[in-house]
Amino acid sequence: MKTLPDLCLDHALKGQGFGSEYEQPFALELAFTDAHKKHASSHPAVREVECLRVLFPAVLQPIEDGDLIAGRIIYPLVAFSPEPQGLGYNCSYGNIRKVLADGGLAESVRSQVETMLEYWRGRTTAELVRQAFPAALAEALPTDAWTTESGVGFPLYRMAGTVLDYAKLVRLGLPGLRAEARSRLEAANGMSVGNEVQPFCRGLLAVYDLLEHSLGHYAKQADALARDCGEAPRVAQLQQIAASCRALSTRAPASLHEAAQLVWLYALHAGTWNYGRMDEYLGEFLERDLAQGVLTETGAVELLCSWWRLMKAYDNQYNNRVFLGGRGRTNESASDRFALLAMEATRLVRLNQPQLSLRFYKGQNTALMEKALTVLGEGCTFPILYNDDVNIPAVAKAFAVAESEAVHYTPYGCGEYVLANRSVGTPNGVINLAKALELALHNGLDPVTGRQAGPLTGAATSHTTFQALWNAYAQQVEYSVRALADAEKLCYAITGHEAPFLFLSALYDDCLTRGKPIFAGGVRYLGGTLETYGNTNAADALHAINELVFKQGKCALTALIAACDSDFLGAQHEPIQRDLLRTTKYGNDEDTVDAMAIRVHEHVCNLTREQAVRVGLDSYLVVIINNWANVIFGQTTQASADGRKAGTPLANANNPAPGMDRTGTTAFLNSLVKLDPSLHAGAVQNMKFSRELFNRHRPKLEAMLDGYWAAGGSQAMLTVVSPADLRKAMHEPEKWGHLMVRVGGFSARFIDLPKGAQEEVLKRTLNE
């Protein structure tokens, strides 16, 4: 099965096929480039609209058998999006160069493509951000290649995690959105600020026209397919798609089908991968359809199953988030009914997308949690569970907002929190805390590359106390955190100048009121997030050094560093590794080492929060997630003082290092809840359970989870599987395509993971 990037490449070579002008190789990429070139000096809203006119509906793919709503998309290799194909205006240089190297293109096309590449060089939004780095920032963050190069901190380029006001979308529909934009445009006439408000509002009206055009495009296609189809049930399905698309051009949605169609097609145009609290904005449509006999529960589940398959076809296992449950829903009975059917759809389709997630609280309808555990017990990795009783007050404190705002928290991507349609907090930086300690032990030198990668914080012989070593570690972390905060703010500044991201701005508070685009002063709360990795390894290593070197005097710090540098090879180094491995590790409810984990956690969280005021953001918060970056960063991190060998995976998020939680599930959970959730914007809690415990001993499992929630557990991502199944899948992958596992903040087919990631999943503790 081809991946989405493969399909993008195919379409670049073969043409999109939606119009004769785009049927030749790279025709769409060249047309998009021409539009950008023509409007390079135009107002950003005008340029964006003209480039989007080229993309839509050309990038929309045909309705396929089984689709109950319309909407598939393949981006060209030169495009515009907040994230799916790259930040803002983007060009997939690598894939295009690959095509040119392979040959096969006509010389005339090759020449045009070469000219196109020359035009984009230095003009993509990501390149403009990097070019804007002042010298000191470029020195602190010398490379973007975090997946291959050694380092502590790396910038990322994207506008991730946008969660739109879908409730407003289905309430107003296209006519209501148009009326709202026209009213704001009229109010701006004659005002001193009108010069900026007017092009912004005109841009909104233009993209609404584009969406209407796409609806008409799919209506015509569905009609044509229905005429050629000889199967009555399928004809009825296609006619419903056509009818919904036509109706949505003239009024707000009146049925679940129409609402789902509008939400999905709008999201595809906006370039977002998150769909918010779906039960909240679609529950009443479901309830009304069921009451009127327009739809049965079986039909609703079939519709959702089809939608879930479309999300899978969109193919982003790190995102595609759908939320259910939780406090703050206006019609809980209708929402609950939808939520139960959504979980049933996930049970039936068994895909790794969407990332279905359930918020819950004391007093919520117990049927939702019962259904969630049943679905998980059958081997699904969804829904992910979020505890509102802990998270709402934690989010309120972390984001410095009232709980009435915090109730709208919505995790996105791999588990980062955002306030739906009120805030953005794209994670545009990654930091490896285990690597920061590595630099502290080598006076800022990266022993993997031999490069001076951090500040001079003292030779090993100068660290005569643990506090001295801690200060060196803290300085290495601070150096990278400050740089990454600067890069985050700069990314917003350049992106906001480049494009208004009109589809996003239309459904975000308070863009229209302020008359400003989302990333240029429009959004209510402009925040940022920083992904941290190696937290647990850094804590375990610092604890081990403190115990063996400074408390027990069992070995000198220089000897310990030499052992790590040699990857514990050699008769003089192997005993040191044994002592390091025997030292108590985080995850066993042991106060001394857990206190070190708390210290590491609070240091990086508070340090990161402090950057917001300095750089001019409403918030800047740590997210402790995983997207197998623990495996990637482990490959460029030398042996560490927790006894871990060089090149092996780091611990997953804030979980114990693989195999290091040795005293049972209760102790593991007790350690987890010691880390304050009010200091960050999301953390991943991966847990793997045996089928025996999950299904045959359900009361025991529920009691254990209830204890975890009551003690302050904020979230859980559960996998119900046996180690035997994982081993069989590694040896006979062709027989195990159905096996899904939690990797970090996302799920994937086990057989699709790289070998290193498979081994890391296998090593995680199985809670019996």
mmCIF file of all heavy atoms in Angstrom, residues 469-501:
data_model
loop_
_atom_site.group_PDB
_atom_site.id
_atom_site.type_symbol
_atom_site.label_atom_id
_atom_site.label_comp_id
_atom_site.label_asym_id
_atom_site.label_seq_id
_atom_site.Cartn_x
_atom_site.Cartn_y
_atom_site.Cartn_z
ATOM 1 N N LEU A 469 27.462 20.051 39.389
ATOM 2 C CA LEU A 469 27.097 19.333 38.170
ATOM 3 C C LEU A 469 25.696 19.723 37.716
ATOM 4 O O LEU A 469 25.450 19.939 36.521
ATOM 5 C CB LEU A 469 27.176 17.825 38.402
ATOM 6 C CG LEU A 469 26.691 16.947 37.243
ATOM 7 C CD1 LEU A 469 27.528 17.200 35.989
ATOM 8 C CD2 LEU A 469 26.726 15.477 37.621
ATOM 9 N N TRP A 470 24.773 19.826 38.677
ATOM 10 C CA TRP A 470 23.409 20.230 38.320
ATOM 11 C C TRP A 470 23.420 21.604 37.652
ATOM 12 O O TRP A 470 22.728 21.812 36.652
ATOM 13 C CB TRP A 470 22.511 20.256 39.560
ATOM 14 C CG TRP A 470 21.170 20.862 39.254
ATOM 15 C CD1 TRP A 470 20.812 22.178 39.350
ATOM 16 C CD2 TRP A 470 20.028 20.186 38.705
ATOM 17 N NE1 TRP A 470 19.515 22.355 38.922
ATOM 18 C CE2 TRP A 470 19.017 21.158 38.521
ATOM 19 C CE3 TRP A 470 19.770 18.857 38.378
ATOM 20 C CZ2 TRP A 470 17.752 20.826 38.024
ATOM 21 C CZ3 TRP A 470 18.515 18.531 37.874
ATOM 22 C CH2 TRP A 470 17.518 19.508 37.697
ATOM 23 N N ASN A 471 24.201 22.527 38.179
ATOM 24 C CA ASN A 471 24.263 23.868 37.590
ATOM 25 C C ASN A 471 24.759 23.814 36.147
ATOM 26 O O ASN A 471 24.265 24.546 35.279
ATOM 27 C CB ASN A 471 25.178 24.766 38.424
ATOM 28 C CG ASN A 471 24.583 25.098 39.780
ATOM 29 O OD1 ASN A 471 23.381 24.948 39.999
ATOM 30 N ND2 ASN A 471 25.429 25.541 40.703
ATOM 31 N N ALA A 472 25.727 22.945 35.880
ATOM 32 C CA ALA A 472 26.232 22.802 34.510
ATOM 33 C C ALA A 472 25.148 22.248 33.598
ATOM 34 O O ALA A 472 24.954 22.728 32.468
ATOM 35 C CB ALA A 472 27.462 21.889 34.509
ATOM 36 N N TYR A 473 24.436 21.232 34.072
ATOM 37 C CA TYR A 473 23.318 20.660 33.301
ATOM 38 C C TYR A 473 22.258 21.732 33.037
ATOM 39 O O TYR A 473 21.777 21.887 31.902
ATOM 40 C CB TYR A 473 22.726 19.475 34.065
ATOM 41 C CG TYR A 473 21.335 19.089 33.629
ATOM 42 C CD1 TYR A 473 21.117 18.377 32.447
ATOM 43 C CD2 TYR A 473 20.227 19.444 34.397
ATOM 44 C CE1 TYR A 473 19.832 18.035 32.040
ATOM 45 C CE2 TYR A 473 18.942 19.100 34.003
ATOM 46 C CZ TYR A 473 18.741 18.401 32.826
ATOM 47 O OH TYR A 473 17.476 18.060 32.434
ATOM 48 N N ALA A 474 21.892 22.470 34.082
ATOM 49 C CA ALA A 474 20.848 23.485 33.942
ATOM 50 C C ALA A 474 21.246 24.547 32.924
ATOM 51 O O ALA A 474 20.410 25.018 32.131
ATOM 52 C CB ALA A 474 20.568 24.126 35.300
ATOM 53 N N GLN A 475 22.527 24.922 32.900
ATOM 54 C CA GLN A 475 22.974 25.924 31.930
ATOM 55 C C GLN A 475 22.885 25.407 30.499
ATOM 56 O O GLN A 475 22.539 26.154 29.576
ATOM 57 C CB GLN A 475 24.411 26.332 32.246
ATOM 58 C CG GLN A 475 24.564 27.188 33.491
ATOM 59 C CD GLN A 475 26.019 27.510 33.776
ATOM 60 O OE1 GLN A 475 26.724 28.049 32.915
ATOM 61 N NE2 GLN A 475 26.487 27.164 34.959
ATOM 62 N N GLN A 476 23.195 24.129 30.305
ATOM 63 C CA GLN A 476 23.080 23.548 28.960
ATOM 64 C C GLN A 476 21.627 23.537 28.497
ATOM 65 O O GLN A 476 21.320 23.858 27.341
ATOM 66 C CB GLN A 476 23.654 22.125 28.943
ATOM 67 C CG GLN A 476 25.141 22.022 29.237
ATOM 68 C CD GLN A 476 26.022 22.698 28.197
ATOM 69 O OE1 GLN A 476 25.602 22.943 27.064
ATOM 70 N NE2 GLN A 476 27.258 23.002 28.586
ATOM 71 N N VAL A 477 20.723 23.187 29.409
ATOM 72 C CA VAL A 477 19.298 23.178 29.070
ATOM 73 C C VAL A 477 18.825 24.597 28.769
ATOM 74 O O VAL A 477 18.132 24.840 27.770
ATOM 75 C CB VAL A 477 18.472 22.556 30.212
ATOM 76 C CG1 VAL A 477 16.972 22.668 29.912
ATOM 77 C CG2 VAL A 477 18.862 21.090 30.421
ATOM 78 N N GLU A 478 19.211 25.541 29.613
ATOM 79 C CA GLU A 478 18.771 26.928 29.430
ATOM 80 C C GLU A 478 19.248 27.488 28.089
ATOM 81 O O GLU A 478 18.509 28.204 27.401
ATOM 82 C CB GLU A 478 19.293 27.802 30.563
ATOM 83 C CG GLU A 478 18.859 29.255 30.423
ATOM 84 C CD GLU A 478 19.311 30.122 31.580
ATOM 85 O OE1 GLU A 478 19.899 29.569 32.527
ATOM 86 O OE2 GLU A 478 19.082 31.344 31.525
ATOM 87 N N TYR A 479 20.456 27.171 27.692
ATOM 88 C CA TYR A 479 21.011 27.670 26.432
ATOM 89 C C TYR A 479 20.120 27.280 25.254
ATOM 90 O O TYR A 479 19.806 28.108 24.395
ATOM 91 C CB TYR A 479 22.417 27.103 26.264
ATOM 92 C CG TYR A 479 23.128 27.512 24.988
ATOM 93 C CD1 TYR A 479 23.578 28.812 24.819
ATOM 94 C CD2 TYR A 479 23.375 26.573 23.986
ATOM 95 C CE1 TYR A 479 24.253 29.183 23.664
ATOM 96 C CE2 TYR A 479 24.049 26.933 22.831
ATOM 97 C CZ TYR A 479 24.483 28.242 22.667
ATOM 98 O OH TYR A 479 25.145 28.602 21.525
ATOM 99 N N SER A 480 19.693 26.018 25.232
ATOM 100 C CA SER A 480 18.861 25.552 24.122
ATOM 101 C C SER A 480 17.418 26.021 24.242
ATOM 102 O O SER A 480 16.783 26.376 23.245
ATOM 103 C CB SER A 480 18.901 24.020 24.043
ATOM 104 O OG SER A 480 20.154 23.571 23.581
ATOM 105 N N VAL A 481 16.867 26.038 25.455
ATOM 106 C CA VAL A 481 15.472 26.458 25.636
ATOM 107 C C VAL A 481 15.292 27.915 25.213
ATOM 108 O O VAL A 481 14.326 28.263 24.521
ATOM 109 C CB VAL A 481 15.020 26.244 27.093
ATOM 110 C CG1 VAL A 481 13.692 26.962 27.359
ATOM 111 C CG2 VAL A 481 14.883 24.761 27.394
ATOM 112 N N ARG A 482 16.210 28.775 25.613
ATOM 113 C CA ARG A 482 16.109 30.185 25.229
ATOM 114 C C ARG A 482 16.177 30.344 23.710
ATOM 115 O O ARG A 482 15.408 31.111 23.119
ATOM 116 C CB ARG A 482 17.225 31.000 25.891
ATOM 117 C CG ARG A 482 17.053 31.193 27.390
ATOM 118 C CD ARG A 482 18.243 31.957 27.986
ATOM 119 N NE ARG A 482 18.355 33.300 27.447
ATOM 120 C CZ ARG A 482 17.713 34.371 27.920
ATOM 121 N NH1 ARG A 482 16.909 34.239 28.956
ATOM 122 N NH2 ARG A 482 17.879 35.554 27.368
ATOM 123 N N ALA A 483 17.064 29.604 23.076
ATOM 124 C CA ALA A 483 17.188 29.689 21.617
ATOM 125 C C ALA A 483 15.922 29.191 20.933
ATOM 126 O O ALA A 483 15.447 29.797 19.961
ATOM 127 C CB ALA A 483 18.396 28.877 21.154
ATOM 128 N N LEU A 484 15.357 28.108 21.431
ATOM 129 C CA LEU A 484 14.160 27.544 20.811
ATOM 130 C C LEU A 484 12.952 28.450 21.005
ATOM 131 O O LEU A 484 12.080 28.531 20.129
ATOM 132 C CB LEU A 484 13.900 26.144 21.371
ATOM 133 C CG LEU A 484 14.921 25.093 20.904
ATOM 134 C CD1 LEU A 484 14.858 23.849 21.780
ATOM 135 C CD2 LEU A 484 14.697 24.731 19.437
ATOM 136 N N ALA A 485 12.884 29.147 22.131
ATOM 137 C CA ALA A 485 11.805 30.120 22.332
ATOM 138 C C ALA A 485 11.941 31.279 21.345
ATOM 139 O O ALA A 485 10.944 31.749 20.770
ATOM 140 C CB ALA A 485 11.826 30.636 23.768
ATOM 141 N N ASP A 486 13.154 31.749 21.128
ATOM 142 C CA ASP A 486 13.387 32.810 20.141
ATOM 143 C C ASP A 486 12.974 32.349 18.741
ATOM 144 O O ASP A 486 12.368 33.112 17.975
ATOM 145 C CB ASP A 486 14.865 33.208 20.134
ATOM 146 C CG ASP A 486 15.280 33.963 21.395
ATOM 147 O OD1 ASP A 486 14.415 34.587 22.034
ATOM 148 O OD2 ASP A 486 16.479 33.899 21.735
ATOM 149 N N ALA A 487 13.318 31.100 18.424
ATOM 150 C CA ALA A 487 12.972 30.570 17.104
ATOM 151 C C ALA A 487 11.463 30.443 16.944
ATOM 152 O O ALA A 487 10.917 30.698 15.857
ATOM 153 C CB ALA A 487 13.641 29.209 16.903
ATOM 154 N N GLU A 488 10.776 30.058 18.011
ATOM 155 C CA GLU A 488 9.312 29.936 17.961
ATOM 156 C C GLU A 488 8.665 31.275 17.624
ATOM 157 O O GLU A 488 7.815 31.375 16.734
ATOM 158 C CB GLU A 488 8.791 29.442 19.311
ATOM 159 C CG GLU A 488 7.284 29.292 19.386
ATOM 160 C CD GLU A 488 6.799 27.888 19.132
ATOM 161 O OE1 GLU A 488 7.568 26.951 19.350
ATOM 162 O OE2 GLU A 488 5.633 27.720 18.712
ATOM 163 N N LYS A 489 9.056 32.315 18.346
ATOM 164 C CA LYS A 489 8.473 33.633 18.107
ATOM 165 C C LYS A 489 8.801 34.131 16.706
ATOM 166 O O LYS A 489 7.959 34.717 16.013
ATOM 167 C CB LYS A 489 8.965 34.629 19.147
ATOM 168 C CG LYS A 489 8.352 36.023 19.000
ATOM 169 C CD LYS A 489 6.827 35.988 19.101
ATOM 170 C CE LYS A 489 6.179 37.320 18.764
ATOM 171 N NZ LYS A 489 6.527 38.379 19.725
ATOM 172 N N LEU A 490 10.015 33.886 16.261
ATOM 173 C CA LEU A 490 10.423 34.313 14.925
ATOM 174 C C LEU A 490 9.615 33.587 13.856
ATOM 175 O O LEU A 490 9.222 34.177 12.837
ATOM 176 C CB LEU A 490 11.915 34.052 14.735
ATOM 177 C CG LEU A 490 12.552 34.595 13.453
ATOM 178 C CD1 LEU A 490 12.384 36.104 13.365
ATOM 179 C CD2 LEU A 490 14.032 34.228 13.415
ATOM 180 N N CYS A 491 9.340 32.319 14.086
ATOM 181 C CA CYS A 491 8.538 31.545 13.130
ATOM 182 C C CYS A 491 7.142 32.140 12.989
ATOM 183 O O CYS A 491 6.607 32.256 11.883
ATOM 184 C CB CYS A 491 8.462 30.089 13.589
ATOM 185 S SG CYS A 491 7.778 28.973 12.349
ATOM 186 N N TYR A 492 6.540 32.534 14.109
ATOM 187 C CA TYR A 492 5.228 33.185 14.042
ATOM 188 C C TYR A 492 5.309 34.507 13.290
ATOM 189 O O TYR A 492 4.431 34.833 12.485
ATOM 190 C CB TYR A 492 4.694 33.443 15.449
ATOM 191 C CG TYR A 492 4.043 32.251 16.110
ATOM 192 C CD1 TYR A 492 4.373 31.892 17.413
ATOM 193 C CD2 TYR A 492 3.076 31.500 15.449
ATOM 194 C CE1 TYR A 492 3.778 30.811 18.039
ATOM 195 C CE2 TYR A 492 2.479 30.415 16.067
ATOM 196 C CZ TYR A 492 2.821 30.072 17.361
ATOM 197 O OH TYR A 492 2.227 29.001 17.964
ATOM 198 N N ALA A 493 6.347 35.276 13.564
ATOM 199 C CA ALA A 493 6.465 36.587 12.936
ATOM 200 C C ALA A 493 6.574 36.474 11.421
ATOM 201 O O ALA A 493 5.876 37.186 10.681
ATOM 202 C CB ALA A 493 7.689 37.323 13.502
ATOM 203 N N ILE A 494 7.428 35.573 10.946
ATOM 204 C CA ILE A 494 7.607 35.405 9.498
ATOM 205 C C ILE A 494 6.352 34.809 8.870
ATOM 206 O O ILE A 494 5.888 35.266 7.816
ATOM 207 C CB ILE A 494 8.827 34.511 9.199
ATOM 208 C CG1 ILE A 494 10.109 35.147 9.753
ATOM 209 C CG2 ILE A 494 8.947 34.251 7.705
ATOM 210 C CD1 ILE A 494 10.455 36.489 9.168
ATOM 211 N N THR A 495 5.794 33.795 9.505
ATOM 212 C CA THR A 495 4.597 33.142 8.964
ATOM 213 C C THR A 495 3.428 34.115 8.914
ATOM 214 O O THR A 495 2.677 34.156 7.929
ATOM 215 C CB THR A 495 4.231 31.916 9.813
ATOM 216 O OG1 THR A 495 5.336 31.007 9.825
ATOM 217 C CG2 THR A 495 3.008 31.208 9.253
ATOM 218 N N GLY A 496 3.250 34.903 9.979
ATOM 219 C CA GLY A 496 2.166 35.877 9.990
ATOM 220 C C GLY A 496 2.314 36.933 8.918
ATOM 221 O O GLY A 496 1.318 37.411 8.360
ATOM 222 N N HIS A 497 3.539 37.279 8.598
ATOM 223 C CA HIS A 497 3.793 38.257 7.533
ATOM 224 C C HIS A 497 3.553 37.650 6.154
ATOM 225 O O HIS A 497 3.096 38.336 5.233
ATOM 226 C CB HIS A 497 5.231 38.760 7.632
ATOM 227 C CG HIS A 497 5.610 39.747 6.570
ATOM 228 N ND1 HIS A 497 6.208 39.369 5.383
ATOM 229 C CD2 HIS A 497 5.454 41.096 6.497
ATOM 230 C CE1 HIS A 497 6.409 40.431 4.630
ATOM 231 N NE2 HIS A 497 5.977 41.496 5.283
ATOM 232 N N GLU A 498 3.855 36.368 6.019
ATOM 233 C CA GLU A 498 3.768 35.711 4.718
ATOM 234 C C GLU A 498 2.343 35.420 4.275
ATOM 235 O O GLU A 498 2.022 35.522 3.096
ATOM 236 C CB GLU A 498 4.546 34.387 4.767
ATOM 237 C CG GLU A 498 6.006 34.498 4.450
ATOM 238 C CD GLU A 498 6.247 34.832 2.991
ATOM 239 O OE1 GLU A 498 6.116 33.947 2.130
ATOM 240 O OE2 GLU A 498 6.563 36.003 2.711
ATOM 241 N N ALA A 499 1.476 35.011 5.209
ATOM 242 C CA ALA A 499 0.154 34.539 4.795
ATOM 243 C C ALA A 499 -0.850 34.644 5.928
ATOM 244 O O ALA A 499 -0.509 34.398 7.089
ATOM 245 C CB ALA A 499 0.241 33.083 4.327
ATOM 246 N N PRO A 500 -2.095 34.977 5.615
ATOM 247 C CA PRO A 500 -3.131 35.052 6.645
ATOM 248 C C PRO A 500 -3.754 33.709 7.010
ATOM 249 O O PRO A 500 -4.481 33.624 7.988
ATOM 250 C CB PRO A 500 -4.177 35.978 6.025
ATOM 251 C CG PRO A 500 -4.003 35.827 4.556
ATOM 252 C CD PRO A 500 -2.535 35.571 4.334
ATOM 253 N N PHE A 501 -3.489 32.658 6.233
ATOM 254 C CA PHE A 501 -4.110 31.349 6.475
ATOM 255 C C PHE A 501 -5.620 31.542 6.688
ATOM 256 O O PHE A 501 -6.163 31.329 7.767
ATOM 257 C CB PHE A 501 -3.456 30.630 7.655
ATOM 258 C CG PHE A 501 -2.095 30.101 7.353
ATOM 259 C CD1 PHE A 501 -0.969 30.880 7.570
ATOM 260 C CD2 PHE A 501 -1.929 28.831 6.827
ATOM 261 C CE1 PHE A 501 0.298 30.401 7.260
ATOM 262 C CE2 PHE A 501 -0.663 28.344 6.519
ATOM 263 C CZ PHE A 501 0.445 29.126 6.740
#
